[in-house]
């Protein structure tokens, strides 16, 4: 019986063929995306650049294995190494957040932040129970109970009754008093804190007081800030919360997934461990993605090292340097600055929309996203943009480099104002037309080209984690000026 590669039947030969040969189309898309990440400035606050080691773990053979259940209690055989991996990942998760295993446990199986949140709600609440989360237009996340006048938008408002709290529009800080007052009427079973677009830290002690007044659970979703919390650079939600959820791919710099931490000694339930584990599987998910769990374990290992604190400190210093650069140019930032990795820029005084600046930045290789700012009247036309420094810090940039990025953003705004004038209408499509096609006697188009060239030259001076950039070539399908 032959057992060498020579005996591989034709139908299996593809199993040993590298991607570039097996599927050049997908390889080319990966190459183009690599080129884009190398040539541009990544300022999306919810993104980061994970490590080579994490990508290797995430792309590993562990993707082959089914392991429904928990270590030592699986519905499939062959899980001895997968059990070792999941136990290691859980240990590192508790270690990264300085948690006592006698008081806290963690489920590392959620596929993403949204599924982690829905599993957490499933664990804590009965259908139609009441929850309160920060409203989406005030910086909260969809999965914290968001709904509109016409539609319940996510499972968190479809299956539960939700009442959002808000920021105080006079200072754009969380309105803890307003929340307490609303809670006295609404009587929530759960209060959710944490946000997708809030540049300041949280007062968890104040939230705990309000939750206790109603015997409610307190849950923090620290998806955005978990890397900074692990480093001890932001307030510690674990001191006050019953459950803490997070994504693993934002400031924590791991693969795309979620974690749910649960308190073993919550005063409102002594069975949170079972509730959370049962909610993840079988209530909300199937088999865990073991390759991703390996990537999480690797990322958490990095977050346990002394260098992690230095990285987290630099992310914050960079966000503050970016804020100072913009404020020095008289631009308006929500709360006038930041405590964390993100800056919320209110463009309304400039009579510019978030959509236009996002589009213009895309054209010059700066990746940002439009975002609602306090007082926006239309969710369809957000008045600001959100900027984050996690990814650029992962490319080694320090404060002076970030100030240069602030200068590029300033130029982008000035060009957007020129284009808006040249477009002769308020419509985004006219703005895009003059930005991409120009026209007789129009200046904005030329300025877009110039800025794009400068941004590319600047961006390509920096390394890209997981990629040997010295060997990087412009892939097929990317034009000379991209
Ligand atoms: N929670 C918060 C606060 C977030 O900002 C996000 C995503 O941006 C999520 C949850 C959802 O995470 P995912 O996209 O992994 O489902």
């Amino acid at each position: 019986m032959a057992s060498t590669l020579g005996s591989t039947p034709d139908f299996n030969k593809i199993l040993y063929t590298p991607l570039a040969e097996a599927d050049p189309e997908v390889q080319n898309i990966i190459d183009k995306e690599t080129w884009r990440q190398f040539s541009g400035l990544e300022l999306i606050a919810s993104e980061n650049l994970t490590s080579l080691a994490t990508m290797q773990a995430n792309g590993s053979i562990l993707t082959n294995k089914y392991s429904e259940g928990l270590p030592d209690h699986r519905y499939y055989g062959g899980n001895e190494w997968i059990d070792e991996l999941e136990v290691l990942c859980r240990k590192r998760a508790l270690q990264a957040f300085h948690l006592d295993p006698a008081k806290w446990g963690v489920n590392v199986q959620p596929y993403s932040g949204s599924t982690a949140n829905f599993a957490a709600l499933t664990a804590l609440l009965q259908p139609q129970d009441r929850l309160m989360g920060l409203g989406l237009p005030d910086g909260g996340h969809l999965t914290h109970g968001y709904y509109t006048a016409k539609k319940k938008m996510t499972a968190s408002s479809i299956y539960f009754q939700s009442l959002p709290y808000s920021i105080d529009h006079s200072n754009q800080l969380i309105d803890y008093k307003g929340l307490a007052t609303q809670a006295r009427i609404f009587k929530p079973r759960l209060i959710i804190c944490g946000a997708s677009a809030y540049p300041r830290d949280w007062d968890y002690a104040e939230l705990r007081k309000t939750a206790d007044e109603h015997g409610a659970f307190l849950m923090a979703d620290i998806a955005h800030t978990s890397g900074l919390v692990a480093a001890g650079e932001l307030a510690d939600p674990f001191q006050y919360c019953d459950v803490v959820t997070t994504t693993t791919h934002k400031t924590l710099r791991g693969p795309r997934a979620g974690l749910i931490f649960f308190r073993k000694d919550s005063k409102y339930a002594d069975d949170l461990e079972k509730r959370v584990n049962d909610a993840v599987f079988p209530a909300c998910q199937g088999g865990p993605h073991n390759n991703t769990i390996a990537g999480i374990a690797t990322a958490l290992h990095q977050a346990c090292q002394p260098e992690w604190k230095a990285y987290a400190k630099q992310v914050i210093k960079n966000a503050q340097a970016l804020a100072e650069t913009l404020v020095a140019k008289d631009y308006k930032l929500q709360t006038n600055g930041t405590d964390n990795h993100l800056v919320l820029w209110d463009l309304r005084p400039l009579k510019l929309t978030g959509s236009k600046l996002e589009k213009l930045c895309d054209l010059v290789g700066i990746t940002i996203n439009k975002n609602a700012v306090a007082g926006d009247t239309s969710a369809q036309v957000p008045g600001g943009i959100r900027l984050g420094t996690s990814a650029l810090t992962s490319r080694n940039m320090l404060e002076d480099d970030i100030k240069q990025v602030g200068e590029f953003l300033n130029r982008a705004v000035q060009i957007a104002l020129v284009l808006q004038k040249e477009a002769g209408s308020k419509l985004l499509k006219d703005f895009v037309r003059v930005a991409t096609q120009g026209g007789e006697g129009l200046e904005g188009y030329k300025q877009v080209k110039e800025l794009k060239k400068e941004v590319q030259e600047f961006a390509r001076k920096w390394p890209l984690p997981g990629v040997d950039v010295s060997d990087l070539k412009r892939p097929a399908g990317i034009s000379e000026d991209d």
Side-chain angles (χ1 to χ4, degrees):
M1 190 172 76
S3 64
T4 62
L5 201 57
S7 67
T8 303
D10 282 353
F11 61 79
N12 269 345
K13 290 219 165 103
I14 195 67
L15 294 175
Y16 304 92
T17 312
L19 180 63
E21 215 180 300
D23 192 342
E25 263 181 290
V26 165
Q27 179 68 59
N28 177 247
I29 292 169
I30 294 172
D31 292 345
K32 287 189 285 192
E33 173 59 14
T34 306
W35 187 257
R36 186 193 70 80
Q37 292 189 18
F38 172 54
S39 305
L41 295 175
E42 182 53 71
L43 281 157
I44 292 186
S46 50
E47 292 188 15
N48 206 337
L49 307 172
T50 198
S51 63
L52 171 64
T54 298
M55 283 194 261
Q56 285 174 336
N58 201 29
S60 70
I61 200 162
L62 299 175
T63 194
N64 290 342
K65 191 71 197 102
Y66 241 119
S67 53
E68 284 174 353
L70 290 168
D72 288 332
H73 303 280
R74 304 285 188 185
Y75 290 79
Y76 293 83
N79 272 303
E80 63 263 47
W81 308 123
I82 298 299
D83 281 4
E84 185 178 340
L85 173 73
E86 190 164 336
V87 167
L88 177 69
C89 188
R90 295 196 300 207
K91 188 177 112 199
R92 288 180 178 174
L94 296 183
Q95 205 182 332
F97 291 91
H98 319 287
L99 299 172
D100 176 356
K103 294 198 171 135
W104 283 89
V106 59
N107 188 300
V108 299
Q109 296 189 3
Y111 303 145
S112 80
S114 300
T115 50
N117 282 347
F118 191 62
L121 300 191
T122 303
L124 295 172
L125 303 176
Q126 290 299 310
Q128 300 309 325
D129 272 359
R130 292 179 296 275
L131 64 88
M132 294 180 78
L134 180 64
L136 184 86
D138 287 344
H141 191 254
L142 283 162
T143 56
H144 300 179
Y146 183 59
Y147 57 89
T148 66
K150 294 206 175 117
K151 195 165 178 212
K152 296 176 173 184
M153 298 296 281
T154 75
S156 62
S157 59
I158 295 170
Y159 299 115
F160 306 100
Q161 302 293 331
S162 152
L163 182 71
Y165 56 91
S166 64
I167 53 175
D168 175 343
H169 285 206
S170 68
N171 56 16
Q172 296 117 42
L173 300 174
I174 301 293
D175 182 3
Y176 294 100
K177 275 205 183 113
L179 159 58
T181 307
Q182 280 176 298
R184 276 177 207 123
I185 300 163
F186 189 63
K187 307 213 182 305
R189 230 11 234 122
L190 169 68
I191 295 177
I192 305 175
C193 54
S196 301
Y198 185 61
R200 297 295 174 181
D201 208 348
W202 288 77
D203 186 345
Y204 298 109
E206 192 60 32
L207 290 161
R208 179 78 264 176
K209 258 194 250 163
T210 302
D212 280 345
E213 211 179 304
H214 307 286
F217 290 114
L218 181 61
M219 164 176 146
D221 171 0
I222 58 168
H224 261 262
T225 53
S226 53
L228 313 178
V229 170
E233 292 300 309
L234 291 177
D236 179 10
F238 292 93
Q239 269 187 49
Y240 298 99
C241 293
D242 302 285
V243 164
V244 176
T245 62
T246 183
T247 53
T248 48
H249 47 276
K250 300 185 169 74
T251 49
L252 199 54
R253 209 161 68 174
R256 313 194 71 79
L259 300 173
I260 307 175
F261 294 88
F262 46 83
R263 193 179 262 284
K264 291 179 178 169
D265 60 351
S266 163
K267 60 181 160 185
Y268 299 118
D270 56 10
D271 58 348
L272 280 188
E273 175 160 13
K274 180 165 170 35
R275 288 209 216 175
V276 168
N277 287 336
D278 288 353
V280 173
F281 171 83
C284 296
Q285 290 192 172
H289 296 175
N290 295 305
N291 52 314
T292 309
I293 292 175
I296 299 172
T298 303
L300 288 168
H301 182 56
Q302 295 173 7
C304 291
Q305 305 310 311
E307 296 81 13
W308 186 258
K309 195 165 174 71
Y311 167 69
K313 268 186 190 300
Q314 192 62 49
V315 167
I316 297 174
K317 278 195 221 163
N318 283 351
Q320 290 173 342
L322 181 59
E324 280 158 25
T325 309
L326 299 176
V327 167
K329 293 181 187 306
D330 284 336
Y331 291 125
K332 187 176 171 200
L333 302 185
Q334 198 144 310
T335 79
N336 232 17
T338 180
D339 293 333
N340 57 30
H341 62 302
L342 71 82
V343 165
L344 259 186
W345 186 350
D346 186 349
L347 300 169
R348 292 169 305 183
L350 301 164
K351 307 230 175 314
L352 202 56
T353 61
S355 312
K356 282 182 185 159
L357 192 57
E358 178 188 296
K359 189 68 211 171
L360 191 270
C361 281
D362 241 351
L363 292 173
V364 300
I366 303 175
T367 318
I368 61 169
N369 69 281
K370 55 184 171 291
N371 212 97
V373 277
D376 265 346
T377 42
S378 160
Q380 270 68 49
V381 192
I385 56 166
R386 189 184 64 161
L387 307 168
T389 52
S390 315
L392 293 188
T393 311
S394 294
R395 288 188 80 179
N396 302 349
M397 292 189 202
L398 306 178
E399 289 98 309
D400 281 348
D401 313 307
I402 295 292
K403 284 181 190 157
Q404 174 60 53
V405 172
E407 296 296 334
F408 286 138
L409 287 164
N410 174 43
R411 294 251 306 278
V413 165
Q414 297 310 319
I415 296 171
L417 291 171
V418 171
L419 290 167
Q420 184 157 272
K421 217 181 220 170
E422 292 178 347
S425 92
K426 290 249 179 249
L427 298 178
L428 184 63
K429 72 174 176 31
D430 293 328
F431 179 89
V432 173
R433 181 178 39 77
V434 288
T436 53
Q437 296 166 25
E440 187 73 22
L442 299 183
E443 271 305 303
Y445 174 69
K446 278 187 239 153
Q447 292 174 14
V448 171
K449 292 259 175 217
E450 278 162 21
L451 181 57
K452 177 175 178 175
K453 200 157 170 287
E454 284 178 53
V455 167
Q456 282 175 345
E457 273 171 20
F458 177 80
R460 287 178 191 151
K461 287 187 194 148
W462 303 91
L464 184 66
V467 178
D468 179 1
V469 296
S470 65
D471 206 26
L472 210 56
K473 304 209 172 46
R474 175 176 278 103
I478 296 284
S479 71
E480 277 302 307
D481 58 350
D482 275 324

